[in-house]
Amino acid sequence: MLISIIVPCYNEQEVIQITHNRLVSVLEGITPQYELIYVDDGSQDETANQLRQLQQKEQQVKVVLLSRNFGHQMAVTAGLDHVSGDAIVLIDADLQDPPEVIKEMVNRWYEGYDVAYGVRTDRQGETPFKLWSAKAFYRIMNRLSDVSIPLDTGDFRLMDRRVVEALKMMPERDRFLRGMVSWVGFRQVAVPYQRSPRLAGVSKYPLFKMIRFAADGILSFSLVPLRVAIWAGLFTVALSIIGIIYALFVRLFTMSWVPGWTISFIAILFIGGIQLIFLGVIGEYIGRIYREDKRRPLYLVREKLGFGSHQQNGCVDRVKQVTYAGENGNEMI
Ligand code: UDP
Ligand code: MG
């Protein structure tokens, strides 16, 4: 049984060596059969060179260097496309997710679960705003989304090979991995843990990126924002009917019907506002359709280290992969 660990790294030069040592000591205690796949997501600092050195020293280490920064979810996707393990663990490079929890996840997997996902019972070293916004996000997400995504769950998790193969068949560009893992199903179990503060360096998820990420989650797993338009439309029409009756009443049965501009002014503003909001919502979905339709590769690989010579650089052609799924799940171009 081979265990693969995927670590996405973006400007993590301060922590990478320490993280590696912690991971190795935990893994040695579980099984000698493991591989560590570091994905460098276009770091501008020394991360790539450090990974190169690690790879030269230890043969369990494999490195995928992406051609530029593609974002955390894509880096993880690149890692998933390069694993060969029977169980695959996703973990951040900054030791916020304690590697010791992997042991418990592996035990769950031995018990027969296909996914063991980490649930944060406590998050240390985060700002109150991040805590609050993350909490709100997971709850709103669950209300809106078509699949139920476990609360307070990040990407720290163990997945069986079968789950990873299922994920590889999902070609979408707006990747919200934790939602996708919920969508595929199989037997899943929660493993509670305490999230520690970042070991060093800064968070690569500033407020703006967090909002984008939340929007990705909601828009790719829910049609509710589109449906809200219908309800808001009906509500507005109902209000307008009352307004029309009132206007007619004033016009027909009273003498004070001239200064009616207030209500028409309000009505125009209100309807204009509602329409703009929902044009925006529709635009968001159409933008996504447009992006998917271009079928660009999700990421590009600059270099691979430690994978043997038969694999060329490039990226997995997901369109092809879906067409030929089962025949050759890992077709390279
Ligand atoms: N990361 C990445 N690409 C990015 C941003 C982040 O690969 O564009 C990695 C980062 O190196 C870390 C993980 O994703 O291993 C989580 O990022 P971070 O700790 O900055 O996010 P936070 O924990 O603050 O949400
Ligand atoms: Mg972090």
Side-chain angles (χ1 to χ4, degrees), residues 37-217:
I37 299 183
Y38 290 96
V39 182
D40 173 58
D41 188 15
S43 302
Q44 286 104 27
D45 63 359
E46 281 301 300
T47 304
N49 285 337
Q50 291 184 351
L51 292 178
R52 257 176 226 284
Q53 284 165 14
L54 273 184
Q55 198 276 320
Q56 272 162 12
K57 274 188 277 176
E58 288 167 57
Q59 54 150 322
Q60 271 109 329
V61 174
K62 297 176 177 179
V63 177
V64 178
L65 301 166
L66 301 186
S67 65
R68 63 169 170 84
N69 180 249
F70 282 90
H72 173 246
Q73 302 286 299
M74 293 302 177
V76 172
T77 303
L80 289 175
D81 287 334
H82 290 90
V83 289
S84 35
D86 301 293
I88 292 96
V89 177
L90 310 180
I91 189 166
D92 284 355
D94 57 5
L95 290 182
Q96 280 195 287
D97 311 317
E100 291 69 28
V101 180
I102 295 176
K103 189 161 173 46
E104 169 140 18
M105 292 180 170
V106 171
N107 287 338
R108 286 288 137 108
W109 177 58
Y110 285 151
E111 284 167 20
Y113 287 100
D114 297 299
V115 177
Y117 54 88
V119 174
R120 305 149 176 177
T121 51
D122 186 17
R123 302 177 77 168
Q124 295 159 6
E126 308 263 30
T127 59
F129 177 75
K130 175 132 186 173
L131 289 181
W132 174 84
S133 57
K135 226 182 157 80
F137 165 68
Y138 286 112
R139 276 145 192 88
I140 294 174
M141 180 72 213
N142 239 345
R143 273 285 162 83
L144 296 186
S145 140
D146 306 333
V147 289
S148 96
I149 297 170
L151 298 178
D152 305 319
T153 301
D155 285 320
F156 182 33
R157 59 184 65 225
L158 177 147
M159 296 178 283
D160 186 84
R161 174 103 219 156
R162 287 183 293 171
V163 175
V164 172
E165 290 303 330
L167 288 180
K168 284 204 215 163
M169 287 195 289
M170 297 166 80
E172 59 240 59
R173 170 157 305 276
D174 295 307
R175 300 184 85 71
F176 186 66
L177 277 167
R178 50 199 87 161
M180 290 162 65
V181 175
S182 293
W183 184 89
V184 298
F186 295 96
R187 293 189 65 203
Q188 311 211 357
V189 65
V191 176
Y193 73 101
Q194 292 202 342
R195 190 155 162 99
S196 329
R198 183 174 246 286
L199 188 65
V202 291
S203 169
K204 278 85 197 176
Y205 273 94
L207 177 63
F208 179 70
K209 255 180 148 180
M210 254 161 55
I211 293 174
R212 271 260 44 107
F213 185 58
D216 268 351

Side-chain angles (χ1 to χ4, degrees), residues 285-301:
Y285 282 98
I286 291 179
R288 271 149 209 274
I289 296 171
Y290 172 66
R291 271 201 311 186
E292 290 290 353
D293 200 49
K294 281 195 283 199
R295 301 199 173 206
R296 287 195 185 154
L298 299 177
Y299 60 86
L300 289 170
V301 174

